[in-house]
Amino acid sequence: MDFNLHEEQRMIQKAASDFAQQECLPGVIERDEKMLFPRQQVLKLAQLGFMGMMVHPNYGGAGMDTISYVLAMEEISKIDASTSVCMSVNNSLVCWGLEAYGSEQQKQQYLTPLAQGQKNGDLYIGAFLLSEPEAGSDATSQQTTAKDMGDYYLLNGTKNWITNGSSASVYLVMAQTDAAKGSHGINAFIVEKNWPGITVGAKENKLGIRASDTHSIMFADVRVPKENRIGEDGFGFKFAMHTLAGGRIGIASQALGIAGGAYQLALAYSKQRRAFGKEIMHHQAIQFKLADMATRIEAARLLCFKAAYEKDNGQDYTLSSSMAKVFASETAMWVTTEALQIHGGYGYVKEYHVERLMRDAKITQIYEGTSEVQRIVISRAILK
Ligand code: CAA
């Protein structure tokens, strides 16, 4: 077993770290406070090839492996989780799904510009529309309908909590075509945001990842050409589940980065803050916290790498991606809380970044499958 990163992976890690320091750190507090979408940052990510990292170069991607993706997500998330979630959704929920299951025509038309993150010099990214007001964890209970009208489908319904909701040009939408068939009656469609009948709701005012744009999307008699259905009739739920398995590696890596960012801040603070006549790092109460943080972060990283390795090697990564996500997200919540505690009162104010990391950590236990859903996936796999 080789735990060393190879040369190219180290270069990507460094490029992501430099990007986070130089492009994301300036203004990150203001973007969080004012809920400003990180447009410039995402355009820069596109130029770096980070919006379609794992897509084959034939389709506009950078052709990198999933380990590199984990490394890039980790580094960017240490500083700016609002930017990294936009990157994660485009890479693993949108581009991966299209590359794995899209037709050749769909790949040429949609995947290629999505993997480049831009079209005609403008931002061009995607969103994944599964959740609904009444269907979150219970994803098979889709209420959005896609009525088969012959050479097109008629789409009606509402989707909730959509990351990249207003900035995306392309939506991958799951909808029920035949309710009698349950999950086998669900289809996935490629829908362009500017088609008639689509309304984007107001930007959600969130606890964390406040700069990312989360919206409801409403569909009223939207005509979707038949050739925009992804895969065979009734494949939509499996499409969503397979795609989410990869997405969970992205969110696990995001959680890993949030934890790492908070840990680094706490470590630096403990070396300069003095209390009771010495730097607080000399107090065992702080040392034990730092030791536990470092250990849990390392364990989370290894789980992310394992899931990424399995994905890169054509193995089933459903179990390992759920393990990585539940462990890394719970690590992020715990580490950020402890990091804030080490900072004392300073941790509670915005300038020190750690309170934002704690707020950002929470969503990693919720989106792309709650911790409870991950435990359903894990327990089913180990009990079957
Ligand atoms: N891979 C492939 N197929 C799968 C699968 C997987 N991981 N999980 C289930 N399936 C298949 C099953 O085999 C079954 O197929 P058959 O009928 O042919 O046997 C079918 O799908 C239905 O599966 P279940 O009976 O297991 O379905 P369920 O109703 O019990 O639900 C669940 C299972 C795991 C809870 C699933 O509903 C789930 O993952 N829910 C969470 C949804 C989620 O993650 N939402 C996040 C929204 S996206 C988001 O957050 C994006 C964003 O913007 C950041």
Side-chain angles (χ1 to χ4, degrees):
M1 206 175 291
D2 184 1
F3 286 99
N4 294 308
L5 299 178
H6 60 60
E7 183 60 23
E8 193 189 328
Q9 290 165 337
R10 279 201 301 272
M11 278 168 55
I12 291 160
Q13 186 179 40
K14 167 93 171 53
S17 172
D18 289 349
F19 165 80
Q21 286 292 337
Q22 291 158 18
E23 308 288 339
C24 295
L25 188 56
V28 68
I29 293 175
E30 188 189 5
R31 291 195 300 277
D32 170 76
E33 233 165 46
K34 298 184 178 162
M35 304 197 305
L36 303 173
F37 180 71
R39 196 176 180 82
Q40 290 314 313
Q41 286 71 17
V42 178
L43 276 167
K44 187 82 199 234
L45 277 177
Q47 286 160 15
L48 286 170
F50 280 9
M51 292 306 279
M53 284 187 78
M54 296 163 288
V55 175
H56 194 281
N58 286 352
Y59 298 111
M64 299 174 198
D65 61 6
T66 312
I67 299 276
S68 301
Y69 173 57
V70 169
L71 295 168
M73 279 296 299
E74 180 185 0
E75 291 308 317
I76 296 165
S77 305
K78 282 179 182 171
I79 307 272
D80 185 354
S82 288
T83 296
S84 72
V85 69
C86 176
M87 171 179 156
S88 178
V89 166
N90 199 65
N91 272 278
S92 33
L93 293 187
V94 178
C95 288
W96 186 86
L98 285 175
E99 186 167 26
Y101 300 111
S103 67
E104 185 54 34
Q105 194 252 329
Q106 290 169 350
K107 290 183 198 180
Q108 297 289 348
Q109 186 177 350
Y110 294 108
L111 174 60
T112 303
L114 284 167
Q116 291 168 338
Q118 49 190 325
K119 194 174 171 183
N120 306 324
D122 218 355
L123 190 68
Y124 194 84
I125 59 173
F128 186 82
L129 285 68
L130 176 66
S131 300
E132 298 185 350
E134 304 294 331
S137 292
D138 184 9
T140 49
S141 299
Q142 295 284 299
Q143 301 298 306
T144 298
T145 55
K147 194 167 177 212
D148 191 342
M149 306 296 282
D151 55 353
Y152 66 93
Y153 288 92
L154 208 55
L155 194 60
N156 279 287
T158 299
K159 294 291 178 178
N160 256 26
W161 317 125
I162 306 307
T163 306
N164 299 344
S166 69
S167 55
S169 302
V170 174
Y171 296 149
L172 302 190
V173 185
M174 271 47 73
Q176 185 63 259
T177 302
D178 185 348
K181 291 186 181 162
S183 70
H184 295 266
I186 294 171
N187 275 302
F189 302 95
I190 305 168
V191 175
E192 296 182 29
K193 189 182 80 182
N194 60 10
W195 283 349
I198 298 177
T199 309
V200 178
K203 188 169 182 168
E204 301 288 353
N205 186 354
K206 310 188 295 288
L207 173 74
I209 55 159
R210 288 171 54 76
S212 81
D213 62 325
T214 310
H215 296 258
S216 295
I217 314 289
M218 281 70 80
F219 300 96
D221 286 340
V222 177
R223 279 171 170 248
V224 183
K226 219 149 209 180
E227 63 267 22
N228 278 33
R229 190 186 72 209
I230 302 172
E232 294 297 307
D233 187 23
F235 181 63
F237 190 71
K238 290 210 165 121
F239 169 82
M241 291 296 112
H242 284 304
T243 305
L244 276 166
R248 289 165 185 165
I249 302 176
I251 300 305
S253 316
Q254 181 189 44
L256 170 66
I258 294 171
Y263 164 73
Q264 286 174 355
L265 290 171
L267 187 64
Y269 184 79
S270 71
K271 288 180 181 170
Q272 51 100 11
R273 171 71 178 179
R274 290 177 65 84
F276 304 103
K278 53 189 176 185
E279 286 81 22
I280 60 171
M281 69 173 174
H282 296 298
H283 295 290
Q284 201 175 51
I286 302 295
Q287 291 169 351
F288 281 10
K289 279 190 199 299
L290 292 169
D292 284 345
M293 286 166 150
T295 305
R296 292 192 198 191
I297 290 169
E298 190 61 18
R301 185 177 295 109
L302 292 176
L303 279 171
C304 289
F305 282 171
K306 172 135 189 298
Y309 174 88
E310 288 177 356
K311 181 164 174 285
D312 286 337
N313 286 281
Q315 298 167 14
D316 185 350
Y317 51 93
T318 313
L319 173 61
S320 57
S321 69
S322 280
M323 284 180 167
K325 186 183 182 278
V326 71
F327 188 80
S329 60
E330 291 181 0
T331 295
M333 203 61 239
W334 183 82
V335 167
T336 53
T337 307
E338 290 295 81
L340 196 154
Q341 189 69 17
I342 288 174
H343 281 77
Y346 292 101
Y348 209 65
V349 294
K350 292 191 186 290
E351 295 91 291
Y352 284 74
H353 295 281
V354 71
E355 62 82 35
R356 175 173 50 81
L357 291 166
M358 190 181 84
R359 289 188 283 106
D360 288 351
K362 186 62 205 171
I363 192 60
T364 66
Q365 295 180 302
I366 299 172
Y367 59 18
E368 299 203 25
T370 60
S371 293
E372 292 73 17
V373 162
Q374 307 314 323
R375 288 186 168 92
I376 292 176
V377 175
I378 295 164
S379 56
R380 282 184 184 174
I382 60 182
L383 292 171
K384 80 176 173 201

